[in-house]
Structures are given as C-alpha cells and as structure tokens.
Amino acid sequence: MIKQTNLLKILALFIFVITTSCDLKKETTEPNTTASTAKISEEAFKLWTWITAEKDRTDKSFDEEFEKYSKNGIHAILINTYGDPALLTRLVPIAKKYNLEVHAWMFTMNRPGDKVAEQHPEWYAVSRDGKSCFDEPPYVGYYKWLCPTRKESREHVLSLIEGLAKVDGVTSFHLDYIRYSDIYLPIGLLPKYDLKQEVELPRYDFCYCDVCTSEFEKEHHKNPKDFSNPAIDMEWKNFRLNKIKSIVDEAYKITHDNGKLLTAAVFPYPEMADHMVRQRWDKWNVDAVLPMIYNKFYNEEIDWIGYATKQGVEDLKGKNTELHTGIYVPEMTSEQLKEAIYQAKSNGAKGVSFFDGPAITDAQWQVIQESQNH
C-alpha cells in the first residue's frame, strides 16, 4: 500500500507534468502578433484623416501640418503620394515624430497621370458601347480606369502596391478606387452631370474589353457583348466582382508578406457598393475598411451615417475586418460633425476618418477634440 505522503508527492508530480505540457502546447501553437494577426485599432476609438502630399512641399510645411493633426487628437494619416515610395519614405519620420501612424493611400484601378500605364492603351477598361478610358473617360477626365482582368495591368497595379508596402514605418497599404467605374453615380451628384441613371447605361458599364469578354465566354459559354440586358446576368456581374476581389486578395498577400496591413476606402455598405460600382467588400481579405459614408452625396440626413455604419458592421460579422466610418467634412457644421461621430461610434464603428485633413475648420477641430472625452 502506498503511504499517504508518497501519494501526495505522486499527485503533485502529475499536476506539474500536466500543467507544464499545457503551457508548452500553448506556447508552440499560439502565433506571434504579426501583420496577419495584429489589429488596426489600438485606441478605444480611432481618428484618421486622408491627405494628399505634393513632393515639392518643404519638410517644414509637412511638420507643421502633422503637428496640428497630432495636437487635435488624430491617430493615423492616410497619405496619397501618387504611388511614390520615395516621398512616402521622406514623410514617415516626420509623422512618427508626432506619433502618427502612416498609411500609404493610393488610387488603385483608377490611375490618372500614370506614365507607365499611358504607354499601354490596351490596359484601360472599355465600356459596353466600346469607349476606352484611355482616351474617352466617363464622367470626368481623371477617370482613367485600368482593366482588372488583363494580366499586364493587374501586375502593374500590384507592383505599385508592393513598392509602397516595402517602405519602413508604414502601418498599412490603403486601397482607393478599388472597383470599376460608377455604373450609378451617387444621386446627389447626378444634377452636376445632367444625368438620369434609372438603368445600367452602356456608357458607364465596364469592362467589355476583349480579354474580359473572352475569358468570361471561356468559363460560361456566352459572350456579354451579345446580351440584350447584361444587368440581369448574374454570372457576368459576379465575374467582375471576383476580378476586383482577386486584386484585393493579391494585395493582402503582398502587404502581409512585407509586414504591413491592408486597408481600403470603399462605398457606404456592401449591397450599395455592389449595386453602384461592382464592389462587394464584405467578401474581401482586408484588415480594415473605411467606408465613405458621405451623406450629402446621397441627399441623406446625418443619421444615415449610423444606418450605413451599422449595415457594414453587420455584414462583416464573423470576419477579422474592422470598420472605421469615413466622414465628409466640407459644408458640415460643427453640430453635424458631432452627430456624425456619434452615429458612427454608437453603431459599431471602431473609429472615424475625416475627408480631408486640410478641410477641417477650427470649429470642427474643437468637436474632434471633445469627441475623445466621451
């Protein structure tokens, strides 16, 4: 018979072995926090702003601008450097001086002023009525959309993403214009172009280039150019949604391979984005989305910001993607801005981003500062 003291020693040894093995198992199976597992939000409620940087500006002018953002409570700046890694590299240490996160913002599928792309007219998206964005852009002259299916145009865009993702000190690469051209404009903008868009019009329906249509025909045994009403063909619509998704998924791999996160500016909520610009962002591999919930563009009241935020948050349930509401500050009173921030925060947003930094008034800055105390 085992004596009681020996029995207690055996039990103690058994417990030690079990707990040690559990700790070892935990240590070997839990991953380190890397770009693939890190979260965008470290603050309780994150404040961002979009800005555009011109390379002929002095470091002093950027220093003054970044100091202003930091003093007013901004945590992160999304910087458009027109895809220039050298300018981004120059700006990172200035931003870090004021504890500002830097996110590399780039026009993605819409590439105005892209000197490399301009050497290849065949890279550009083609409308259903045969007009190329290379020389006949829709709506405005800067709508220079590239085809997301063509191998060469895709590789060009992804190479630009990689160039910015390699810059030291950058937190994320930020996709903008990651979609097709607008099949429907926001309703508030239609009078500006003297347009009625009650159906999908051929002039604004993309992309019908030979590469897109032939690849689709190979997969589905029908040619979109033969459709009497392309809007009701779900395979054709889904084909285009998936072409954008595939670029986002490639960008996700590139950014994470370089120790960075992936963020994106997107249309207000997934169903709306799907309808307006062939963009179904709740199905993407992306760390955070900043939906541009610009209520004025849609003739909506401030509480619509809450509605659209909530819809996006609900659609992202179960995914490791944060939502930070984008707010358009021009012509917004300080009281409206206060309500906009409240609507975003109370409907599940992890933060808000203001478009854009230089447009924020002194009265609005006061509201932004006060918002951090609630």
Side-chain angles (χ1 to χ4, degrees):
M1 179 179 290
I2 301 174
K3 290 183 179 179
Q4 187 175 8
T5 54
N6 288 339
L7 180 61
L8 290 172
K9 287 179 181 178
I10 291 168
L11 284 171
L13 179 62
F14 177 76
I15 291 167
F16 173 78
V17 170
I18 291 296
T19 55
T20 303
S21 70
C22 287
D23 286 343
L24 287 171
K25 185 177 181 182
K26 183 177 180 182
E27 184 178 348
T28 56
T29 57
E30 286 188 359
N32 292 325
T33 300
T34 62
S36 62
T37 58
K39 301 294 285 182
I40 289 287
S41 292
E42 293 180 2
E43 295 78 16
F45 192 71
K46 190 164 189 166
L47 302 180
W48 315 56
T49 190
W50 285 281
I51 66 168
T52 295
E54 304 292 343
K55 63 182 179 182
D56 57 355
R57 282 182 56 183
T58 64
D59 287 356
K60 183 182 178 186
S61 72
F62 284 118
D63 190 290
E64 291 169 352
E65 183 178 0
F66 295 172
E67 182 180 22
K68 180 179 182 180
Y69 296 149
S70 181
K71 282 184 175 179
N72 282 286
I74 296 295
H75 304 117
I77 49 176
L78 303 123
I79 308 179
N80 175 20
T81 61
Y82 305 97
D84 182 356
L87 178 54
L88 189 63
T89 300
R90 177 184 147 205
L91 297 180
V92 167
I94 304 174
K96 294 297 182 186
K97 178 180 172 183
Y98 297 105
N99 296 314
L100 293 168
E101 277 184 10
V102 175
H103 300 259
W105 164 28
M106 191 185 85
F107 287 23
T108 309
M109 299 315 301
N110 179 27
R111 299 291 309 147
D114 188 322
K115 299 304 181 187
V116 174
E118 286 172 356
Q119 303 305 310
H120 302 276
E122 72 280 6
W123 287 6
Y124 290 79
V126 176
S127 64
R128 190 177 0 141
D129 62 357
K131 292 181 170 60
S132 171
C133 290
F134 175 72
D135 52 8
E136 295 186 72
Y139 303 113
V140 288
Y142 68 84
Y143 258 28
K144 298 286 190 174
W145 298 89
L146 299 184
C147 171
T149 303
R150 190 179 292 268
K151 180 176 181 288
E152 295 83 2
S153 51
R154 288 172 58 89
E155 288 180 349
H156 173 61
V157 166
L158 292 169
S159 71
L160 294 171
I161 292 171
E162 185 167 20
L164 291 174
K166 288 184 178 298
V167 175
D168 288 340
V170 168
T171 299
S172 87
F173 178 88
H174 186 65
L175 299 156
D176 193 7
Y177 289 98
I178 181 63
R179 57 183 178 86
Y180 286 83
S181 180
D182 316 60
I183 187 70
Y184 294 106
L185 284 178
I187 191 170
L189 299 182
L190 288 173
K192 179 179 178 180
Y193 299 95
D194 193 24
L195 278 175
K196 284 186 178 181
Q197 292 181 327
E198 296 170 350
V199 295
E200 294 189 1
L201 300 172
R203 179 69 187 96
Y204 308 111
D205 186 12
F206 292 87
C207 173
Y208 287 77
C209 76
D210 291 342
V211 172
C212 284
T213 55
S214 62
E215 184 174 317
F216 179 81
E217 186 172 22
K218 185 177 179 181
E219 290 179 15
H220 296 283
H221 319 296
K222 49 188 177 181
N223 192 316
K225 292 179 180 178
D226 298 332
F227 296 165
S228 58
N229 187 3
I232 64 173
D233 191 284
M234 293 310 297
E235 288 81 20
W236 176 227
K237 182 179 183 181
N238 202 45
F239 175 87
R240 289 175 288 178
L241 290 173
N242 286 336
K243 286 301 173 185
I244 296 299
K245 181 182 186 303
S246 69
I247 290 175
V248 175
D249 291 349
E250 286 283 345
Y252 184 87
K253 184 178 186 307
I254 289 169
T255 53
H256 281 241
D257 284 350
N258 284 280
K260 310 299 195 300
L261 298 167
L262 186 68
T263 56
V266 293
F267 266 53
Y269 56 91
E271 293 85 357
M272 191 175 192
D274 178 324
H275 174 70
M276 296 183 72
V277 295
R278 325 282 191 208
Q279 182 193 66
R280 189 68 197 217
W281 48 261
D282 56 327
K283 298 182 182 296
W284 293 353
N285 286 323
V286 62
D287 296 293
V289 288
L290 282 66
M292 300 170 287
I293 308 180
Y294 299 167
N295 59 297
K296 254 193 176 335
F297 290 13
Y298 301 93
N299 295 340
E300 298 285 358
E301 302 296 331
I302 296 292
D303 61 356
W304 184 75
I305 293 173
Y307 166 80
T309 296
K310 185 176 181 179
Q311 186 65 55
V313 169
E314 289 290 325
D315 287 345
L316 288 172
K317 274 188 175 174
K319 292 184 66 70
N320 192 29
T321 302
E322 293 185 5
L323 186 147
H324 299 250
T325 298
I327 297 173
Y328 187 75
V329 299
E331 300 177 36
M332 189 177 275
T333 67
S334 56
E335 281 303 309
Q336 288 173 331
L337 179 58
K338 181 179 180 180
E339 179 65 16
I341 296 170
Y342 169 78
Q343 287 289 336
K345 193 171 187 177
S346 61
N347 282 284
K350 296 289 188 182
V352 291
S353 186
F354 307 105
F355 186 86
D356 64 354
I360 301 171
T361 66
D362 289 342
Q364 289 171 336
W365 278 125
Q366 185 66 34
V367 169
I368 291 168
Q369 287 180 31
E370 291 172 355
S371 73
Q372 298 168 81
N373 301 322
H374 300 291

